[in-house]
Amino acid sequence: MVKRILFTAPVSYHNRLREAISMSPVSFSPLFVPLIRTSVLPPDGAFLEFCRCLTSFDYIVCPSLTAVRALASSDLSRTNFEGRVVAIGRDQLSVTRLLGVEPVLRYAKPSMMGIVEALQLQSSPSAKHVAVLLPQFSGLPVPTTTITDFLSALRLMGVAVTPVYCYRTSTIDQERCANLADALCRGIVNAIAITSGGEAYVLSRILSLAAAQGQPVEVPIYSFGPYTTRCAQEVALDVAGTSPCHHSFTDYVEYLASVV
């Protein structure tokens, strides 16, 4: 029997997951049901002000693909971005594609704290002025293990940090949560693959709905990496396994193929 894995990542990452699955010798069948949505916010006064003084920042950190897209929505000349934009993992490719420039700190480990470690290797990091493009969270808590810890680590180094809220991360509606809870109770999947703390939070709500109906879901949950696992544990999810290599979706897919 071919096993089915539920992938809960937002739509913006589905193509990369499909590509990783197509390139790996997997025997499972993927099911894509995003638990969170991300969208670029309409430009407001604060974002426009950031755009006006963009060249005053030493670095502009894009912690997600949607952050890169938000920066691209400014329609500024590529000369404004050259030598400034920092992105994580394969989002670096999107910096080149959408902004027309090469990302900096390419050697950083593909995580928020990897960026901190890379900045520590710079000369006089405390003299740096860094903008961080962040989401507004709707119906979700701010993930302490990623964003909050990242901002705190930068400030602890003495870096001047400017948060710029330019996109939104929100949960799926209650009706879709209830429908997915019913589907999971019917045993439609053999495993669940989560890639972020936001997904973990929504999944915990869905599993609570199923348990409240007297139909607890006993499906193993596998995490993309340690930060996602920590977020999942904070909302009392029982994580069956964490991918030991979390540099790309290819690593994650290969890990899932080995354990499911």
Side-chain angles (χ1 to χ4, degrees):
M1 181 185 71
V2 176
K3 294 186 177 181
R4 175 173 285 183
I5 299 179
L6 170 65
F7 288 88
T8 61
V11 171
S12 54
Y13 287 110
H14 286 188
N15 285 342
R16 290 187 188 176
L17 280 166
R18 288 191 176 97
E19 179 184 356
I21 292 168
S22 68
M23 294 173 60
S24 302
V26 301
S27 59
F28 62 77
S29 172
L31 174 64
F32 297 95
V33 180
L35 298 188
I36 58 176
R37 302 187 183 97
T38 59
S39 58
V40 174
L41 292 171
D44 60 11
F47 185 66
L48 292 177
E49 179 60 30
F50 159 72
C51 291
R52 281 193 288 268
C53 64
L54 186 148
T55 56
S56 68
F57 295 98
D58 296 290
Y59 297 111
I60 302 166
V61 176
C62 296
S64 70
L65 175 59
T66 309
V68 179
R69 289 174 172 167
L71 199 56
S73 72
S74 67
D75 289 328
L76 292 172
S77 167
R78 60 177 290 176
T79 57
N80 293 277
F81 304 124
E82 287 180 345
R84 290 185 173 85
V85 182
V86 182
I88 297 173
R90 287 198 62 186
D91 291 345
Q92 294 176 346
L93 299 176
S94 297
V95 170
T96 303
R97 178 171 57 85
L98 296 176
L99 303 178
V101 299
E102 290 298 312
V104 295
L105 304 183
R106 298 196 70 152
Y107 55 85
K109 295 177 183 177
S111 68
M112 300 287 275
M113 298 311 290
I115 294 173
V116 172
E117 293 171 3
L119 285 173
Q120 289 173 331
L121 299 176
Q122 300 290 296
S123 60
S124 304
S126 61
K128 305 298 184 184
H129 192 181
V130 176
V132 184
L133 304 192
L134 296 174
Q136 293 179 347
F137 289 92
S138 177
L140 296 164
V142 177
T144 57
T145 56
T146 51
I147 291 176
T148 302
D149 286 356
F150 175 68
L151 296 177
S152 297
L154 290 179
R155 290 172 177 139
L156 190 61
M157 290 167 53
V159 173
V161 182
T162 298
V164 180
Y165 297 93
C166 57
Y167 65 106
R168 177 179 290 115
T169 298
S170 58
T171 178
I172 59 175
D173 58 46
Q174 187 68 14
E175 182 179 358
R176 290 193 65 191
C177 285
N179 290 340
L180 184 53
D182 291 340
L184 291 175
C185 289
R186 294 196 302 271
I188 66 166
V189 298
N190 303 99
I192 301 173
I194 58 175
T195 65
S196 71
E199 296 162 49
Y201 177 79
V202 179
L203 180 60
S204 71
R205 289 173 47 189
I206 291 170
L207 298 185
S208 294
L209 285 173
Q213 298 168 7
Q215 296 179 295
V217 176
E218 297 182 357
V219 176
I221 300 167
Y222 295 98
S223 166
F224 178 73
Y227 295 112
T228 299
T229 296
R230 284 174 57 189
C231 290
Q233 291 169 340
E234 287 176 359
V235 292
L237 286 183
D238 184 12
V239 178
T242 302
S243 177
C245 297
H246 49 279
H247 295 169
S248 70
F249 283 144
T250 300
D251 293 331
Y252 189 37
V253 166
E254 290 178 355
Y255 167 72
L256 291 171
S258 70
V259 295
V260 176

